[in-house]
Amino acid sequence: MPKGVAGSSGSLFFDHLLLPDGWGRNVRVALAGGRIAAVEPGARPAAGDERHRCGLPGMPNLHSHAFQRGMAGLAERRGPTDDSFWTWRDIMYRFVDRMTPDDVRIIATLAYVEMLESGFSRVGEFHYLHHDREGRRFADIAEMCGAIVAAAADSGIGMTLLPVLYSHAGFGAQPPQPAQARFINDMDGYARLLDRADVHARTLPDAVVGVAPHSLRAVSPDQLRDLAALAKGRPVHIHIAEQLKEVDDCLAWSGQRPVEWLLDHVDVDDRWCLVHATHMTDAETQAMARSGAVAGLCPITEANLGDGLFPVEAFLEAGGRYGVGSDSNILIDCAEELRLLEYGQRLTRRGRNMMARGAGRSTGADLHAGALAGGAAALGVAGGIAVGLSADIISLDLDHPSLAHRQDDAITDSFVFAAGRSAIDCVWRHGTKLVRGGRHRIRDRVVRDYGRVLERLIA
Ligand SMILES: [Zn+2]
């Protein structure tokens, strides 16, 4: 087991702790081997307990492209024509062109350190950068997956690795563009990649490996069906209906919209995560909710790229599940993702408390609970603070002015809407305290290494 990831034992005591059925008082949590061995509300602290005032479960981050952390802020200058997702993607392709596996490892380590500091405890890494600069396979076809796993080991974050199948440039199996050469695999290559990804992931304490057809643009219908068969109970993640151009291209190709086509042609169930699913008709929204698939919402990235807003109200009314992801990592902030998800709805629907699930309910608490349950399901784990689960816990500083004299759900509301990450004190991942005083224990080293990598990549 890599150094720094070994699960610790001991016990924690919280005056306030968010449990699956709501806030508990005076809760003693026993840890063993990185997992929660006992949860005892209404307890007295025992000698040797580490005491904290307030704790929440760590949040799953269901969608990340870690390497994109390196280009945060570099695509904010207006170009000669209309700027869009597609012009952003051209800049991303130029940035990706130079990266070595070691660069990816260091950039990903910084991204994961920042995720932990902001309250994310597990990441779904949607990983599509596989080959060398000429597009040739490395001797180990999953060398880049190994770099991602090494970043997870060094940072300590929980990993759900989603190796991506990317074969085509557009609908109808169009040949890939030269700039996509580092992403491309056929099905045979992908099957080998998945086997080797499993080998790398086994070095982590509780990693999950899923499968990820990149999008309906990038895989053929036959590949999609083969991949669903290859998945055998693993999580399945796909980008879908993020952009109107993608909807138009899908209509031109098939006569159907992307989500409509997917639900009609593939057996989508509760193992699936549909990332973005921004542009849906009401019928698609209802059908997606019925499928059990989790909506992978990435509000900060979707705002940055000008994608549009997911029809969350209709989706929730139909019983749909969702989680949040930091996607492009333009800004890594768990509370900000939840806040922006709600604010997008407020601005377009001109109302307040849109994501609270009924009168008198707390918006922050319902957002937090929804994203925790949906995010964990999408990443193939259970979330929350309960016996047998990984000890993934964050503590909040109740002396933060925005949390002063808050009780129960007012703590969650004030964390999400007011204090945000500035109130995070400690973060335990698999029982090990990685963050204290809001700073990850390897932050200084990682920032130094990251600076050296960026100096070369940006020069
Ligand atoms: Zn994405």
Side-chain angles (χ1 to χ4, degrees):
M1 191 175 287
K3 192 164 167 274
V5 180
S8 71
S9 299
S11 52
L12 307 174
F13 188 95
F14 293 91
D15 299 344
H16 306 263
L17 185 66
L18 185 56
L19 298 171
D21 55 357
W23 283 94
R25 298 280 174 89
N26 301 319
V27 187
R28 192 153 185 267
V29 180
L31 311 178
R35 296 192 174 269
I36 295 170
V39 179
E40 191 189 348
R44 285 166 192 253
D49 285 356
E50 182 178 329
R51 296 195 62 171
H52 295 270
R53 290 177 65 196
C54 177
L56 301 164
M59 180 64 73
N61 177 1
L62 58 59
H63 188 70
S64 159
H65 310 285
F67 75 83
Q68 292 177 13
R69 171 64 182 87
M71 58 171 283
L74 293 180
E76 308 301 324
R77 186 184 291 264
R78 191 161 178 160
T81 56
D82 280 355
D83 276 25
S84 68
F85 170 87
W86 309 101
T87 52
W88 171 87
R89 195 179 72 161
D90 288 342
I91 292 171
M92 185 266 283
Y93 283 180
R94 286 204 293 277
F95 188 74
V96 104
D97 180 54
R98 297 169 161 212
M99 267 191 238
T100 66
D102 215 44
D103 297 339
V104 168
R105 176 181 64 77
I106 289 166
I107 296 172
T109 306
L110 178 77
Y112 297 161
V113 159
E114 292 176 334
M115 287 177 198
L116 285 158
E117 289 176 342
S118 99
F120 287 123
S121 54
R122 171 173 288 267
V123 61
E125 181 63 33
F126 195 101
H127 173 66
Y128 61 86
L129 178 58
H130 300 306
H131 307 312
D132 75 10
R133 291 185 59 186
E134 277 72 46
R136 293 176 306 223
R137 292 171 182 177
F138 290 106
D140 171 4
I141 192 169
E143 173 141 356
M144 283 290 198
C145 289
I148 293 293
V149 165
D154 197 12
S155 65
I157 201 164
M159 170 59 56
T160 295
L161 181 60
L162 301 157
V164 170
L165 175 63
Y166 201 123
S167 295
H168 304 292
F171 290 96
Q174 295 169 32
Q177 301 167 5
Q180 295 164 335
R182 303 191 71 177
F183 316 154
I184 301 300
N185 279 296
D186 58 17
M187 268 318 286
D188 287 348
Y190 186 78
R192 280 210 297 288
L193 178 75
L194 193 60
D195 281 346
R196 288 293 305 159
D198 280 335
V199 171
H200 285 290
R202 279 201 285 274
T203 61
L204 297 170
D206 60 350
V208 173
V209 179
V211 301
H214 178 273
S215 57
L216 297 182
R217 303 191 302 275
V219 298
S220 70
D222 285 348
Q223 286 181 317
L224 196 54
R225 278 186 283 269
D226 290 349
L227 204 64
L230 196 67
K232 294 196 193 86
R234 300 171 188 262
V236 186
H237 287 225
I238 186 169
H239 289 132
I240 196 156
E242 179 179 7
Q243 289 287 322
L244 286 172
K245 179 180 184 308
E246 180 191 341
V247 176
D248 293 343
D249 290 353
C250 190
L251 278 165
W253 167 67
S254 70
Q256 288 187 297
R257 302 166 60 84
V259 172
E260 181 187 16
W261 188 94
L262 181 72
L263 295 176
D264 267 7
H265 289 83
V266 182
D267 188 16
V268 172
D269 60 19
D270 59 6
R271 292 173 305 132
W272 282 68
C273 177
L274 274 51
V275 180
H276 307 301
T278 310
H279 301 288
M280 294 195 288
T281 61
D282 206 44
E284 287 177 296
T285 306
Q286 304 289 328
M288 181 181 160
R290 276 197 305 276
S291 75
V294 173
L297 307 179
C298 308
I300 294 173
T301 296
E302 288 156 7
N304 182 266
L305 295 178
D307 289 342
L309 284 173
F310 179 83
V312 72
E313 220 179 340
F315 184 70
L316 291 182
E317 272 166 26
R321 303 186 297 167
Y322 67 92
V324 293
S326 63
D327 194 359
S328 69
N329 297 310
I330 174 81
L331 171 69
I332 294 173
D333 191 321
C334 169
E336 178 76 32
E337 296 288 1
L338 299 175
R339 188 185 312 147
L340 195 55
L341 181 55
E342 167 70 17
Y343 281 174
Q345 301 302 311
R346 291 189 189 189
L347 287 163
T348 48
R349 317 227 11 136
R350 300 192 199 103
R352 301 192 71 251
N353 297 314
M354 310 303 282
M355 299 208 47
R357 303 318 303 142
R361 296 190 59 89
S362 145
T363 305
D366 280 353
L367 273 167
H368 192 276
L372 176 65
L379 297 186
V381 296
I385 297 171
V387 173
L389 302 189
S390 180
D392 297 354
I393 303 172
I394 67 173
S395 71
L396 297 181
D397 170 17
L398 286 191
D399 291 328
H400 189 290
S402 295
L403 298 181
H405 302 291
R406 304 301 199 270
Q407 301 273 341
D408 301 335
D409 285 349
I411 297 173
T412 330
D413 283 336
S414 300
F415 167 59
V416 170
F417 291 104
R421 63 181 297 170
S422 66
I424 292 180
D425 182 14
C426 300
V427 178
W428 295 259
R429 213 320 276 180
H430 210 57
T432 299
K433 183 153 67 174
L434 299 171
V435 174
R436 64 181 75 208
R439 289 177 67 85
H440 194 291
R441 62 191 190 182
I442 65 166
R443 162 170 275 281
D444 292 344
R445 162 174 52 94
V446 175
V447 169
R448 273 197 308 277
D449 292 348
Y450 176 82
R452 280 194 286 272
V453 168
L454 264 285
E455 185 180 15
R456 213 185 69 250
L457 288 179
I458 289 183

